Amino acid sequence: MDFSFTEEQLMIQDVARRIAQEKIAPSAEAFDKSGEFPLENIRLLGENGLMGIEVPAEYGGAGMDPIAYVLAMVEVAAADAAHSTIMSVNNSLFCNGILTHGTEAQKQKYVRAIAEGAAIGAFALTEPQSGSDATAMRCRAVRQADGSYKINGKKSWITSGPVAKYIVLFAMTDPDKGARGITAFLVDTDKPGFGRGKTEPKLGIRASATCEIEFDDYIADADEVLGKEGEGFKIAMGVLDAGRIGIASQSIGIARAAYEASLAYVNERKAFGQPIGAFQMTQAKIADMKCKLDASLLLTLRAAWVKGQGKRFTTEASVAKLTASEACMWIAHQTVQIHAGMGYSKEMPVERYFRDAKITEIYEGTSEIQ
């Protein structure tokens, strides 16, 4: 078993680390406070191949593998989780599905702009009344005489919804067929009939804009169907498998930042005449952090490796996402505890790690779904 990385994988990790440390980390606190979408930083990630890491070069991407994606995501997430959320949606949820199921024309039109960072993509599955139970969706797409579809309904919690140019949308075309009656569409948000709701005031990942979107007699042309009619649920579940590798990687990045902050703090902070890192209870917390962090990384790399082999990776991605997200929340929690009063203060990034960590147990399938 070979645990070494290729020169190309290390190269893109280095690019991601450099941008994360030089551009993203210094601005993370300001973006968290304002909730402003970090468009300039996202474009920079795109210009350096990080918004389409697994996208072939002919469609504007870096042409790398899932392992490279994990390594790059961890670096960006360690600097700021919100940036990595945007990066994950573009890579995993938007580009992945179109590359797998799209036509050549769809790949050229929709994937290139996103992979190059010229536009933002989004993924619309969740609705106000249907989250984990995606087959309960009410958004309807009715086929017209000319082969187009008239779409009506709402989607909620759409990451990058306020700024997305293109969206992969899932709507019910045949309610009587249940999951087999769902179809995927490629939506251009500049077309009539598309509307956006207010940006959600979230607990964490605040610079990752999220909103409700609405369709009011929106017309999707026949060539804007992704895959075939009725294949939408299958496409969504496959895309979410890839998305779970992204969120597992994000979890590792957040957890690593929290762990490193704890490691530094326990050697600086003194109590009862010695560094708090000298106390066994503190040492046990640090040791458990390290174990959970390493286990999460290895499970996530395993999922990425299986995906890269072209094999089904549903179970591996789910195990990685569940393990990494819960480890992330635990490590962030312990980091706040170790920092005590300072961990509760916005003067340090520790409380942001704690707020950002929670979402990893919820989106791309809750821990209960995994």
Side-chain angles (χ1 to χ4, degrees):
M1 187 174 292
D2 186 0
F3 286 92
S4 61
F5 300 120
T6 67
E7 184 178 339
E8 290 78 13
Q9 290 165 347
L10 292 173
M11 177 189 68
I12 201 159
Q13 181 188 43
D14 185 63
V15 170
R17 182 186 296 120
R18 176 176 51 81
I19 295 173
Q21 293 179 354
E22 294 178 3
K23 296 292 184 180
I24 296 175
S27 62
E29 181 183 357
F31 280 120
D32 179 65
K33 286 181 178 178
S34 69
E36 179 186 352
F37 188 84
L39 184 58
E40 184 178 336
N41 285 346
I42 296 303
R43 284 176 175 163
L44 180 62
L45 291 173
E47 290 166 3
N48 283 272
L50 297 172
M51 299 307 279
I53 294 174
E54 297 177 63
V55 174
E58 59 262 38
Y59 305 122
M64 301 292 286
D65 64 1
I67 297 289
Y69 174 51
V70 170
L71 297 179
M73 270 290 295
V74 170
E75 295 300 327
V76 173
D80 180 51
H83 282 73
S84 68
T85 298
I86 302 162
M87 179 177 165
S88 178
V89 169
N90 275 24
N91 276 275
S92 300
L93 301 187
F94 187 88
C95 291
N96 186 275
I98 302 173
L99 287 173
T100 305
H101 302 280
T103 64
E104 180 64 24
Q106 288 173 339
K107 293 174 187 177
Q108 289 290 352
K109 178 179 179 179
Y110 299 101
V111 174
R112 178 175 293 280
I114 303 304
E116 293 178 347
I120 305 297
F123 177 89
L125 179 64
T126 299
E127 296 184 4
Q129 76 293 327
S130 66
S132 295
D133 182 11
T135 59
M137 68 175 63
R138 297 176 184 172
C139 186
R140 297 287 186 263
V142 180
R143 189 165 187 167
Q144 307 298 294
D146 62 357
S148 66
Y149 293 79
K150 183 180 290 186
I151 301 175
N152 286 280
K154 291 183 178 182
K155 294 289 179 177
S156 59
W157 298 107
I158 307 306
T159 301
S160 297
V163 294
K165 164 64 174 170
Y166 300 122
I167 299 175
V168 176
L169 168 74
F170 299 88
M172 190 69 75
T173 46
D174 191 342
D176 293 335
K177 292 183 178 180
R180 291 184 174 86
I182 297 171
T183 301
F185 297 90
L186 295 168
V187 168
D188 185 336
T189 60
D190 289 333
K191 289 175 63 174
F194 175 83
R196 312 178 204 256
K198 69 177 179 67
T199 300
E200 297 288 350
K202 303 189 299 293
L203 172 71
I205 59 166
R206 287 175 38 75
S208 167
T210 305
C211 73
E212 186 174 81
I213 59 175
E214 186 170 1
F215 297 88
D216 184 8
D217 288 345
Y218 177 95
I219 300 298
D221 298 326
D223 62 359
E224 292 172 330
V225 173
L226 179 61
K228 297 179 181 178
E229 183 175 312
E231 291 184 342
F233 187 75
K234 180 181 72 174
I235 292 172
M237 294 303 102
V239 167
L240 285 172
D241 285 344
R244 284 163 187 158
I245 292 178
I247 300 309
S249 304
Q250 178 187 59
S251 301
I252 294 162
I254 299 169
R256 192 187 79 184
Y259 167 73
E260 290 175 350
S262 296
L263 203 59
Y265 192 73
V266 299
N267 288 312
E268 296 169 0
R269 175 69 172 177
K270 291 186 177 181
F272 306 102
Q274 59 185 326
I276 61 173
F279 297 111
Q280 284 186 322
M281 188 170 285
T282 303
Q283 292 170 358
K285 291 180 188 293
I286 295 295
D288 285 342
M289 285 183 184
K290 177 63 173 172
C291 290
K292 292 177 185 292
L293 194 53
D294 281 8
S296 298
L297 178 58
L298 289 171
L299 285 170
T300 303
L301 289 172
R302 181 187 70 164
W305 182 85
V306 174
K307 180 177 186 287
Q309 296 300 304
K311 301 176 182 179
R312 184 173 182 180
F313 58 99
T314 300
T315 299
E316 290 82 1
S318 184
V319 168
K321 197 269 185 184
L322 176 62
T323 302
S325 63
E326 296 202 336
C328 177
M329 190 67 220
W330 187 88
I331 291 170
H333 180 192
Q334 296 304 317
T335 297
V336 172
Q337 192 70 16
I338 285 171
H339 284 72
M342 291 307 298
Y344 205 67
S345 170
K346 288 186 177 293
E347 291 184 12
M348 299 183 74
V350 171
E351 62 86 31
R352 173 162 54 86
Y353 302 152
F354 182 75
R355 288 186 289 108
D356 289 344
K358 184 57 199 173
I359 191 61
T360 66
E361 296 181 311
I362 298 174
Y363 57 14
E364 251 82 317
T366 64
S367 292
E368 290 76 12
I369 285 292
Q370 305 315 312

